[in-house]
Every structure is written in C-alpha cells, then in structure tokens.
Amino acid sequence: MNFCNIKENLLAYRAETGGHPLGLDRVFGFALIRAWVYLMFVGAAASFMTWSGEAIRPAFFLVSAGALCIALFGSALTGDRFVKLMLHPTARAAGPTLTGVGTVLLASSGAEGMIGDVCGIIGAITTGLGSGIIDLGYGELYRNEPPGRTTFEVPLAFFLAAVAYSLTAMLPPVTSCVLCALLPVVSGWILFVQQHAWSRKHQASVLPIDFDLKSFAWRIGLCACLVGIADGMVRAAFLSSNNLSIHLLLQWPLAGAGLITMLIVYGAALLGSEQSTRTIYKAAIVVMAFFFMLLPIFTGAQDIESVLALTGYGTFNVLIWMLLAEISANYRLSSTRVFGIGWGMVTLGVLLGAVAGDAVDRFAPFSPQFLSFIALVATMAVLLSFLFVFRESDLIALTEVDRASSKNAAAELQAPKSSTPLATPRPRFQDRCLEVAAAFELSPKETEVMILFAKGRSAARIQEELFISKGTVSTHLR
C-alpha cells in the first residue's frame, strides 16, 4: 500500500475543497432523491409503493422513465431557455411538487377500473418530469463544487439512499407510501431553498472552454445503453433462474453493494497514483463482467451473489454522475446540457434494459445453454463498450488536467519568437490564455496562476500546485 499516495491525495483534496470535506445538507438531499428512485423505479414491476402493497404496473414504469428522458433531453436541447425558466422560484418548485403529487397518484394506481389507470398514467408522467428537474438541479449544484468534493459526496449519497430504501421497504404499505411521497419534497427544499440551485447568485461568471459535446454524447450514450441492456438481461435471468423476487435481491444487498461502491471510489481516490475515474471505471467493468460470466453457475439466493449483481452497475452509475459533474466543472459547461444528455442516456439505458429483461424473462425456465448465451452476450456488450466505445483514453481526454501544460504555456510566453515550437500542439484553451496573458503583459508565474484559475482551481489548490504562498496567490489573482 502506497501511504505516500494517500498523504498526497489527502493534501490535494483538502486544498481543492478549502478544508471543508463534506456538505452534509447536500449529501442528505441528494440521498433522499436517489432513495425515491430506488423505491419507485429501480426496475419494472419492482415498486410496491401502493396503498395496498401491490406492485406498480410495468407500463407505468415505462411511461415514467420515458417522461424522465423527455425532461432530461428536452432541457439539453432548450439550453439557456430552460435555465432562464428555472431562475423563477415557481418553476423550481414544480420539480418536487410534481414528483410528490405523482407519487401519491401512483400509490392510487392499484384502484380498480379507469380511476386506477388515470392515476397511474398521470402519476407516471408527473414523476418523470418532476424527478428530471430535481436531477438537473443536483447536477447544477455539483457543477459548482470542486470535483474532489463530488468524489467523496456522491458515493456516500448513493449508499445512504440504499439504506433508506431497505428501511422504508420494511414499513407498512401506507406508511411507506407517505414517506416515499415526502422524500422528493424534502430533497427539493434542500436543493432549492437551502442550497440555492439555479438562483441568480450562483450563475457562472466564467466562460465555457471549447468542448466536443457531440462526441461525448454518442460515446457515453452508447456505453450507457449497452451496459444498461446487459444489466437488464442478466438481472432478469438471475432472478428467474433462482426463483428470486426483486425485493430479496434489493432489500439488504443494495446497501451492501453501495458500501462496496464507496470502498472502490474512496480507495481509487486515496490510493491511486493515476486518475481515479479510470480505476473506478475498470473496477465497475470487472465486477459486471465477472458476475455476467458466472451467471450459469449461480444457484440459490445467496446474499453475496445479489450484492455482486448490484455492485457493478451501481458503481457505473456513481462513476457517470461524478464524470458529468467533473466535465461541467472543469470545462465550465452548462450543467443542463451535460447532465441532460449524460444522465438522459443513463436513463435510456435503464429503460432499454427493462425492455430487454422483459424479453429474456419470456424464455423462462432457462436451459443451461440459454443462460450461457445470455452471459456471453452481456459480457461482450460491456467489454466492447470498455474497449471500443467509451475507453480509458476518453476518460483521460475528458477529465485529465495536466499541470505541466500551464507551465509549458508560461515558458512559451517567455521564450523568444524565434524559438522552436513545442512538439505537442497546445489546446485552443491554452492559446486563449496566452493571448490574454500577452495582452495584459503577465509574468510567467502570473500566467501559471491565471491558467489554473481559469480551469476552475481554487486559490488553495493553486497554492498547493505551484508551491507558492497564499499571499502570492492572492496578489496574482487581484
């Protein structure tokens, strides 16, 4: 174990977050909306949040997931118009209100006749649209936080959400439905009232950096869809072949999987000498591929098998959220566009996975040969995605910020015009920074500080990276 890496990473994390490691209100609020998602829409026919304790019909799950996709993709397409709309308190209140009211309507979908159908359809649409607004709000919140803080807060929030799911699912149906309806309301109050998401005082003052959003969209989208379909197929086969209910799969193993995800993310952040997102991505793919390949020999309802079934895809979802937050923070992009596209693709993957799982379930009971075929298809899907669709090199290109680039830019600014250009072409961002530095006749050290500040670094982080005093950083920034 490399304790030097732990010390260095802890110091870097402390510098990046300004010595304030966690925003407990933010973690708690985000955990509540994730717990609501687990309770209501962790999978088709998986939610028993009705007054009678009966399962919500799969059709309502599909409608709600479709409405969520529309909310996410629609916000990305409308861009600034959506953000301007969210500047109004009434529009922000629509998210938790629609989600809470829709939850109550879905709880009434078990009623007989047309009343149950109407309640179910309206509830599905409103929960999808409302939860989309809340998800985008937390995306905006984490866009304005240092990536190091996101790395430690998001896995904790997912774990707390899993624990909340396990505890709420044990309550009587009426109590659990009322509590479930309150979760998005409390989460929205924390998000919009306490944390001031989308308020005018938190509008970005830094212009965005050039970023190929189209390339990112199709890569992350295809990856999320492939992984979602593979997970949906294998999960359906695993449940059916072991005669295991969705509640036994999720009741406590979901919390165990969340704990393992925390260990993977924190271990990668503290121990890794390379970019932590690469380690987390590889761990998620390895766990999923391992479980998929062992599908034909898994028997019984052992907790360890259930935990393994949930860990890989859960870690993948945590990674995607962290990645979206880091991209929008580093490149100063609109969180609405980044999370609208990225999280929308994840939702689409879940939707396609539910459809694929339903198709697989029609072939039950499964022969050993068919289980082996499903395992092969699922394993190949995640491996092809990792090797050819959304690769490690893509993660590096999206999130790696090389400190040496700012020093090279400063050295080039100081070098004579006749000197030989650097062998590696500079990104356009460096060109723009050099133009500003030259226009205002900044010194090489001032240029280094300016470039790091433009990348979103805090004053404390710049002090750590350039080994200069706090007063020097403050002087250069002024």
Side-chain angles (χ1 to χ4, degrees), residues 220-241:
I220 196 68
L222 184 56
C223 175
C225 289
L226 286 174
V227 171
I229 291 172
D231 179 75
M233 292 172 57
V234 173
R235 187 177 299 185
F238 176 69
L239 291 173
S240 182
S241 61

Side-chain angles (χ1 to χ4, degrees), residues 404-416:
S405 63
S406 61
K407 293 185 177 180
N408 288 339
E412 183 176 351
L413 179 66
Q414 193 178 34

Side-chain angles (χ1 to χ4, degrees), residues 26 78 115 123-124 193 213 231 256 260 285 317 327 337 348 350 386 403 409 416 447 469:
R26 187 169 50 246
T78 55
I115 295 178
V193 178
L213 194 57
D231 179 75
I260 294 177
I285 294 298
N317 282 338
I327 290 172
R337 295 191 65 192
L348 181 60
V350 173
F386 178 73
R403 188 179 69 190
T447 302
S469 68

